[in-house]
Amino acid sequence: MDDLGSLVVKLFDIEAFKFGSFKLKSGIQSPIYIDLRVIISYPDILRSIAVHMNDIIQRANVACDSICGVPYTALPIASIICADYKRPMLIRRKEKKDYGTKKLIEGKFQPNDRCLIIEDIVTSGSSVAETAESLRAEGLQVTDAIVFFDREQNGENNLKEKNIRLLRVLTITEVLRYLVKYSRITEEISKTVQMFIRENQTQLPSSKPEIVETKHLSMSIRERFQMILKEKKTNLCLSADLPSLDEIIELSKQIGPNICMLKIHCDILNDFSMEKILQLKEISRKFNFLLLEDRKFADIGNTVKSQYTKGLFQISQWADLVTVHILPGEGIVEALEQAAQSINEPRGCLLIAQMSSKGALTDNEDYVKGAVQCAKKYSNFVIGFISQSRLTTDNQFLHCTPGIHLNNTGDQLGQQYVTPRQAIDGRGADILIVGRAILDSINRVKTAEEYQEEGYRVYEQLRHV
Ligand code: S5P
């Protein structure tokens, strides 16, 4: 008896495979019942399953940084594989905790880590797909899943549609073949089961949030921005220059409906963590606004590429948009665009063509011309400008204007303010970037509403949207 055959027979003997007539949860009558939970009572069988799975993982050359077991039966299997294969383990909870950190994924990981999912049995693939969705929502990459046993009820194809390759140790056809060969079941029983499987193929229901997500993913940042402006009737970008990401997260939940974009400076935060920034990202998806990291990149392309993707902040992982000085020449944009290609979501940037501060050296015609030329050349990635005037008649480029205040003309450090009307009418702004006018007000939400209303009213009037 070969190794796999002997394992199948042992599983039959411990009643992991039962034949007869069983009523399934769905109400359907099935000639086979498979329950691998019993394996935890048989350490040799448990290890043997893990060894076979490990073998397939090695042979399939799966590149993974961590392994996620699907509760419950797959967890002990995953633990053995993690130890043998020397990979850290993650667990996806069945339910979110309603206390403490509320995390759905337990274990340590980095964004973009490749994670292999381990499950005991696959039928439709729904639990693997749900696990992949939760892992991907946390920024992990999921391309492969391995199961011990495939019921061949279309799980493989269902998962392929979710861009997951299914690896497996055994199919139901192979199990039936072994059990007939080693006289555990008759040929007739095998045929009945095969017919049942053929007649009970599954499909995954397409869940609603996924459709929304795909819609976002298939849209360019430019299209998404335009859609947000129209749908939410706001051209207000809140410049959330606060020292605490916790506070920004709370504020964004309140002001989310009023803004089209949230701008932050991640390097002024005293509590930055990837976990928190991904939480903010989730809120930005929920309230449909873009996240702009006002990094003002200004180095040579090669350095900027690392500043964008690496370090503590890993900006490319979460910022839909970044701001970029054009001072070093167009290589800086080329570098960012290249780096953004490895991200699964659309990315873009705003070129800083003019600044609001007193004596800004950007007040130079050639400089501005250079910015517009660069924007046109890289129009897939550059979606607009930070500006103080209308720079081009090409309306695909959004003009975003900071230095906005209804009752102030400036601060002690060079900032100069104009009103929303002056910015849109006189300075050609599409988007108003407002910071302290909202942040320092007594009622931030009410003030944001006022800037939203005034800003969008003038924008509609003058841009005829
Ligand atoms: O020219 C500029 C460009 C930018 S991005 N002038 C600016 O003020 N900004 C940013 O806009 C600045 O870094 C700050 O985050 C925000 C303006 O903040 P406020 O409090 O003066 O409205």
Side-chain angles (χ1 to χ4, degrees):
M1 209 184 281
D2 71 40
D3 219 23
L4 212 47
S6 114
L7 178 59
V8 170
V9 168
K10 279 183 198 156
L11 285 166
F12 178 87
D13 292 343
I14 63 167
E15 298 196 317
F17 304 128
K18 287 191 220 168
F19 296 85
S21 182
F22 308 91
K23 196 167 181 173
L24 301 180
K25 252 191 279 172
S26 54
I28 295 173
Q29 212 67 31
S30 165
I32 182 168
Y33 186 75
I34 302 155
D35 181 3
L36 290 180
R37 277 173 294 189
V38 289
I39 61 172
I40 55 171
S41 309
Y42 302 89
D44 289 348
I45 294 180
L46 187 58
R47 172 153 281 284
S48 172
I49 287 176
V51 167
H52 280 289
M53 287 174 90
N54 213 346
D55 211 40
I56 303 260
I57 298 170
Q58 306 276 3
R59 270 193 275 144
N61 245 336
V62 177
C64 71
D65 303 298
S66 56
I67 285 174
C68 180
V70 181
Y72 289 100
T73 311
L75 291 183
I77 307 174
S79 311
I80 300 176
I81 294 175
C82 285
D84 288 351
Y85 196 48
K86 299 192 173 49
R87 286 289 184 282
M89 177 157 161
L90 301 175
I91 296 177
R92 175 189 178 266
R93 297 182 158 279
K94 275 191 166 261
E95 307 293 341
K96 239 186 215 190
K97 285 194 287 187
D98 55 2
Y99 55 91
T101 56
K102 295 198 175 164
K103 278 191 306 190
L104 203 56
I105 306 294
E106 298 288 351
K108 286 215 181 312
F109 58 87
Q110 296 293 325
N112 248 359
D113 270 1
R114 294 152 307 180
C115 182
L116 168 71
I117 296 177
I118 294 197
E119 175 65 300
D120 57 337
I121 302 179
V122 70
T123 306
S124 67
S126 62
S127 61
V128 170
E130 274 168 28
T131 305
E133 204 178 299
S134 310
L135 292 165
R136 284 169 175 166
E138 296 284 341
L140 287 139
Q141 294 185 51
V142 180
T143 51
D144 295 273
I146 177 155
V147 297
F148 173 63
F149 181 71
D150 179 2
R151 291 182 61 122
E152 295 178 294
Q153 283 172 266
N154 208 33
E156 188 180 16
N157 285 331
N158 290 339
L159 290 173
K160 202 187 273 167
E161 278 172 27
K162 309 264 176 197
N163 296 319
I164 301 168
R165 171 174 68 151
L166 181 70
L167 304 168
R168 62 209 169 180
V169 176
L170 280 168
T171 60
I172 198 153
T173 313
E174 287 162 337
V175 167
L176 293 172
R177 206 178 299 134
Y178 277 123
L179 293 176
V180 172
K181 185 173 169 191
Y182 298 119
S183 312
R184 294 304 193 274
I185 57 170
T186 60
E187 190 71 51
E188 206 187 333
I189 292 178
S190 166
K191 282 203 179 118
T192 314
V193 174
Q194 282 177 43
M195 198 192 297
F196 171 80
I197 296 295
R198 265 200 307 275
E199 285 169 3
N200 285 280
Q201 292 291 300
T202 62
Q203 261 183 349
L204 288 186
S206 52
S207 58
K208 211 169 170 218
E210 216 166 291
I211 293 167
V212 175
E213 184 69 12
T214 321
K215 193 169 142 203
H216 284 177
L217 290 178
S218 62
M219 256 184 209
S220 70
I221 278 282
R222 177 176 276 121
E223 286 167 339
R224 185 160 167 226
F225 210 156
Q226 295 290 2
M227 190 189 80
I228 293 173
L229 293 183
K230 285 203 184 101
E231 276 186 12
K232 293 178 71 180
K233 294 198 175 304
T234 175
N235 60 343
L236 174 64
C237 165
L238 173 68
S239 181
D241 301 337
L242 296 165
S244 153
L245 191 46
D246 282 333
E247 191 181 350
I248 295 176
I249 287 172
E250 283 317 305
L251 182 61
S252 66
K253 286 183 200 160
Q254 295 165 14
I255 286 187
N258 307 105
I259 57 175
C260 60
M261 182 156 69
L262 183 82
K263 181 174 89 62
I264 63 166
H265 288 280
C266 63
D267 54 359
I268 64 174
L269 297 170
N270 55 29
D271 59 349
F272 180 91
S273 72
M274 283 311 282
E275 196 181 331
K276 284 187 196 175
I277 200 78
L278 291 175
Q279 224 175 305
L280 182 63
K281 178 93 186 151
E282 206 44 55
I283 295 167
S284 78
R285 287 200 187 107
K286 185 168 164 207
F287 289 100
N288 203 18
F289 59 80
L290 294 177
L291 208 48
L292 166 64
E293 163 51 33
D294 191 5
R295 175 62 180 73
K296 295 192 177 68
F297 290 110
D299 213 317
I300 59 164
N302 189 50
T303 304
V304 163
K305 208 170 172 180
S306 298
Q307 290 173 323
Y308 183 43
T309 55
K310 299 196 167 93
L312 282 181
F313 301 119
Q314 301 186 45
I315 295 167
S316 62
Q317 291 300 324
W318 48 268
D320 297 301
L321 292 166
V322 289
T323 51
V324 187
H325 280 297
I326 193 60
L327 186 75
E330 62 187 39
I332 190 170
V333 178
E334 171 90 43
L336 290 167
E337 186 173 21
Q338 265 181 29
Q341 271 157 17
S342 61
I343 308 294
N344 293 332
E345 276 185 342
R347 293 281 179 261
C349 80
L350 297 169
L351 294 186
I352 298 178
Q354 294 167 321
M355 294 200 68
S356 61
S357 44
K358 206 168 174 189
L361 303 181
T362 49
D363 245 354
N364 168 315
E365 222 176 276
D366 285 344
Y367 193 82
V368 169
K369 252 194 218 157
V372 174
Q373 262 170 21
C374 176
K376 287 190 173 161
K377 182 164 173 193
Y378 293 93
S379 62
N380 279 337
F381 192 69
V382 179
I383 68 153
F385 306 98
I386 300 287
S387 60
Q388 292 293 319
S389 65
R390 199 82 188 166
L391 306 178
T392 166
T393 48
D394 186 344
N395 285 335
Q396 67 166 319
F397 296 108
L398 284 168
H399 290 68
C400 308
T401 302
I404 311 283
H405 212 300
L406 273 164
N407 1 300
N408 209 340
T409 54
D411 67 12
Q412 303 301 310
L413 296 171
Q415 177 67 304
Q416 307 176 107
Y417 290 123
V418 293
T419 63
R421 175 169 282 281
Q422 284 165 336
I424 298 168
D425 194 358
R427 303 191 168 205
D430 297 308
I431 308 297
L432 303 175
I433 300 180
V434 186
R436 284 166 287 180
I438 292 172
L439 299 178
D440 295 348
S441 69
I442 296 170
N443 186 335
R444 287 171 172 172
V445 178
K446 194 160 162 278
T447 311
E449 276 166 14
E450 283 162 17
Y451 276 83
Q452 174 193 1
E453 269 167 35
E454 169 71 355
Y456 201 76
R457 196 169 47 79
V458 181
Y459 177 69
E460 250 181 337
Q461 255 174 25
L462 296 174
R463 301 272 178 278
H464 307 293
V465 284

